Amino acid sequence: MSTYDYIIVGAGTAGCTLAHRLSAGGTHSVLLLEHGQDDRMWILQMPAGLRSAFKPTSKYNYWFKTTPQAHLNNREIDQPRGKALGGSSAINGMTFLRGNPRDYDDWASEEGCTGWSFADCLPYFKKFEGSDRPADAFRSPDGPVGVQRQDALNPLNAAFLEAGQEAGHDLTDDVNGFQQEGVSRFEMSVQGGYRSTSARAFLHKQPKRDNLTVVTRAQVLRVLLEGDRAVGVEYARGREVQVAKAKREVVLCAGAFGTPHLLMLSGIGPADQLKAQGIPVLVDAPQLGENLHDHLEAHVQVETDKPVSLNRYLKPHLMVWAGMQWFGWKGGVAAVNQCHVGAFLRSGPEITHPDIQFHFFPILFGPNWIPDPAKNGYRLGAGPMRPTSRGTVKLASADPAKAPLIDPNYLATDHDWHVMRQGLKFGRELLAQPAFKDFHVREDLPGDHVKTDADWDDFIREDASSAYHPCGTARMGADGDSRAVVDLELNFKGVAGLRVVDASVIPAVPSANINACVFMIAEKAADIILGKQPLPPEHVDYYRAV
């Protein structure tokens, strides 16, 4: 048994950030436990290695499945999660988006999360961000997480930006700055040809510290309690079970699925679920595992007869050349991600801020997101940004090796169906603009036969998939909020010495990919945990359509 000031469970986006911040200065001893392995191998460091890491057989991926989804023809939807240092930042699509400033202002005003407005969060976004854009009121080039924009665009990406304007949408200069709404170049969490993971930014690029211990291949089995206080964890490495004690806090950073799962295995959670699995109830937390929500996407895809899409790089000799460029000088097509442009739109004029997102890919995909080397084309993913459907994470077994039951309950509301339909209609309209005329041979998905709302609904039931942004299962909230699992300083309610810092605390999903949001939460949480004065709020004006 060993003792540390802080034990962090999960070395993902939040866990690596916290490990660095809590151990800085050498005052506190920190243990960082990760179930996966080290991430320093080319397949996770090369941006184009995404396709190899992001598949069911990858050892760097949990590849969870949802329960059969009632509104999606009872399909089980893939829910991949990273299993290595860096967590899901080591396997995600690297699209770097903060969300709309209004999202965070709504956290404070609509969700009761005082202290988490955009003005409160902005300095923490800037703290971790190392943007290739000049510093301004919104952006910072000084942080450890490299962020860049692809300015030299593929012809299809350039056509997308032109088509968006032809369809009547604004061209916005900085999607993470003053105006999110419109079509824009997206940014990527890539720097110098390397994927910008939390592990690279906050572990590997930092000086080695004697007070930070990182243990990989460590499966945490349970949080240990003495009375109503968390005092440590029990974890397994191979067949050996070890105990680590925390003098100050246990901090859970295991994610929207892993955190509620581990707590329930520890006897903390909804009493009925624990009893059903024969787990003694130590703390009844009925809201743990509730409020699960996620972004869903469906797709419009078009085939072209021009060799302009990324499919052409799948020819063996070009794949070899791309590899040589990356291994040689971290350049070429393998040194960047695949989504360089997109859009944020409103489903109607009364909507306060964009509730539809487009990801545009200059690639023709086959089943299971496998590109077809014999064809060329492009795909647009569209989906609701602020879904009203809510699901759950529940225990399937008392065995820690068994995955939890993940039920996002996708498209359970008329609102979500409406926004999904609107997004796909807007997407088809955009791809039909004159800018794409020379690239259009036929619509591959959904196909010309889809015309009515009923047709769209049938297509959505068969095509829609997760955009991989699950959150909300240990919801943050003020005292007296019956929905809240953690308080506004991310302390677990009812258990001293236990904090949650990951996507599970998000009260309402931001209107964008959520990796940047989780970095921000971890940066803000580090100051809270260390008792530091929070960074002063930065009040900036931002675009408001309504």
Side-chain angles (χ1 to χ4, degrees):
M1 183 170 64
S2 50
T3 302
Y4 303 83
D5 290 315
Y6 297 101
I7 297 174
I8 301 171
V9 178
T13 298
C16 291
T17 307
L18 280 177
H20 170 64
R21 298 301 186 194
L22 298 185
S23 63
T27 303
H28 303 299
S29 58
V30 177
L31 173 64
L32 177 62
L33 296 171
E34 167 57 37
H35 189 196
Q37 57 188 294
D38 197 289
D39 67 315
R40 284 172 288 189
M41 53 282 300
W42 72 268
I43 200 171
L44 297 182
Q45 305 237 337
M46 177 199 284
L50 168 66
R51 289 293 149 208
S52 297
F54 200 81
K55 61 184 181 181
T57 57
S58 171
K59 59 186 176 182
Y60 309 114
N61 197 328
Y62 286 100
W63 207 265
F64 295 122
K65 294 274 192 180
T66 69
T67 59
Q69 293 298 287
H71 310 291
L72 296 176
N73 288 348
N74 288 316
R75 289 186 293 130
E76 296 179 355
I77 306 301
D78 294 334
Q79 283 287 353
R81 296 284 91 194
K83 190 179 181 182
L85 292 179
S88 293
S89 74
I91 68 164
N92 68 6
M94 294 158 280
T95 303
F96 182 86
L97 295 162
R98 292 175 174 178
N100 193 287
R102 178 67 182 263
D103 296 325
Y104 302 99
D105 281 348
D106 284 351
W107 281 13
S109 62
E110 304 296 322
E111 303 293 341
C113 295
T114 305
W116 292 87
S117 70
F118 185 64
D120 297 306
C121 296
L122 178 57
Y124 290 103
F125 277 116
K126 293 166 72 173
K127 185 175 182 179
F128 75 81
E129 178 187 271
S131 174
D132 67 349
R133 297 175 69 87
D136 62 22
F138 287 89
R139 311 306 300 277
S140 170
D142 301 325
V145 180
V147 177
Q148 71 182 66
R149 190 173 80 169
Q150 181 78 357
D151 285 322
L153 293 181
N154 170 288
L156 292 170
N157 288 331
F160 176 87
L161 296 180
E162 184 179 350
Q165 295 170 82
E166 290 171 342
H169 308 301
D170 288 347
L171 175 67
T172 184
D173 175 63
D174 183 1
V175 71
N176 290 310
F178 172 76
Q179 181 174 341
Q180 182 198 47
E181 183 169 350
V183 295
S184 64
R185 287 174 165 87
F186 279 179
E187 293 181 306
M188 53 185 153
S189 46
V190 172
Q191 186 178 55
Y194 288 95
R195 174 192 282 271
S196 295
T197 71
S198 61
R200 179 171 175 79
F202 289 109
L203 297 182
H204 308 322
K205 288 168 64 174
Q206 305 299 329
K208 183 174 173 58
R209 295 172 182 162
D210 292 338
N211 63 317
L212 173 60
T213 302
V214 180
V215 180
T216 57
R217 303 178 189 271
Q219 182 178 15
V220 179
L221 305 175
R222 61 189 177 112
V223 177
L224 301 174
L225 299 187
E226 289 181 3
D228 63 355
R229 183 174 187 84
V231 297
V233 298
E234 183 180 82
Y235 66 97
R237 294 197 80 206
R239 296 182 179 181
E240 183 181 359
V241 175
Q242 302 181 38
V243 170
K245 288 296 187 75
K247 288 187 286 187
R248 290 176 176 264
E249 292 186 16
V250 174
V251 186
L252 300 187
C253 303
F257 304 145
T259 286
H261 187 216
L262 175 59
L263 286 168
M264 292 176 197
L265 292 170
S266 306
I268 304 168
D272 56 344
Q273 288 189 53
L274 305 185
K275 291 174 182 176
Q277 300 298 336
I279 298 173
V281 180
L282 303 183
V283 178
D284 182 15
Q287 289 299 309
L288 180 66
E290 300 291 318
N291 194 46
L292 173 64
H293 52 303
D294 184 19
H295 288 146
L296 197 67
E297 280 192 349
H299 309 93
V300 179
Q301 181 163 276
V302 177
E303 187 174 354
T304 182
D305 56 5
K306 292 182 168 54
V308 292
S309 69
L310 296 182
N311 299 73
R312 69 186 186 275
Y313 291 105
L314 297 173
K315 294 179 174 61
H317 68 290
L318 292 179
M319 291 178 69
V320 170
W321 173 233
M324 290 173 63
Q325 289 177 295
W326 188 82
F327 283 105
W329 60 90
K330 302 300 178 285
V333 70
V336 294
N337 73 346
Q338 298 164 353
C339 182
H340 298 155
V341 297
F344 288 93
L345 308 177
R346 289 178 294 136
S347 61
E350 76 286 358
I351 303 300
T352 56
H353 59 299
D355 58 345
I356 295 169
Q357 181 177 0
F358 289 167
H359 289 98
F360 181 77
F361 301 93
I363 315 168
L364 188 81
F365 290 100
N368 300 317
W369 289 86
I370 305 299
D372 187 339
K375 296 180 179 180
N376 282 280
Y378 42 99
R379 172 178 286 201
L380 183 149
M385 284 294 93
R386 293 190 297 284
T388 54
S389 301
R390 292 294 184 269
T392 58
V393 171
K394 295 183 177 181
L395 274 179
S397 168
D399 181 356
K402 300 289 187 182
L405 298 173
I406 299 166
D407 179 12
N409 195 27
Y410 291 122
L411 294 176
T413 67
D414 291 341
H415 167 275
D416 293 354
W417 275 105
H418 169 72
V419 181
M420 176 66 86
R421 264 186 240 112
Q422 286 295 102
L424 289 167
K425 290 176 182 178
F426 288 170
R428 176 185 267 178
E429 177 186 26
L430 188 150
L431 297 184
Q433 296 301 314
F436 277 110
K437 181 180 178 181
D438 290 342
F439 300 115
H440 187 109
V441 171
R442 69 179 186 89
E443 185 179 276
D444 180 62
L445 287 175
D448 294 340
H449 65 283
V450 172
K451 293 182 173 64
T452 68
D453 283 357
D455 294 337
W456 280 114
D457 291 352
D458 287 342
F459 170 69
I460 290 165
R461 291 186 189 98
E462 278 302 314
D463 180 78
S465 59
S466 175
Y468 316 124
H469 307 148
C471 63
T473 51
R475 185 190 187 281
M476 169 174 52
D479 292 342
D481 185 342
S482 61
R483 304 167 298 171
V485 174
V486 301
D487 66 18
L488 299 182
E489 294 192 335
L490 309 184
N491 297 294
F492 194 92
K493 294 189 173 187
V495 183
L498 179 63
R499 224 177 284 251
V500 178
V501 183
D502 58 29
S504 65
V505 307
I506 292 174
V509 65
S511 307
N513 308 40
I514 66 171
N515 191 236
C517 173
V518 176
F519 271 118
M520 177 276 294
I521 290 170
E523 289 282 24
K524 191 164 164 43
D527 279 357
I528 293 171
I529 292 169
L530 292 172
K532 292 184 175 181
Q533 191 72 18
L535 296 177
E538 297 183 15
H539 296 276
V540 295
D541 190 25
Y542 58 84
Y543 178 79
R544 291 170 170 84
V546 177

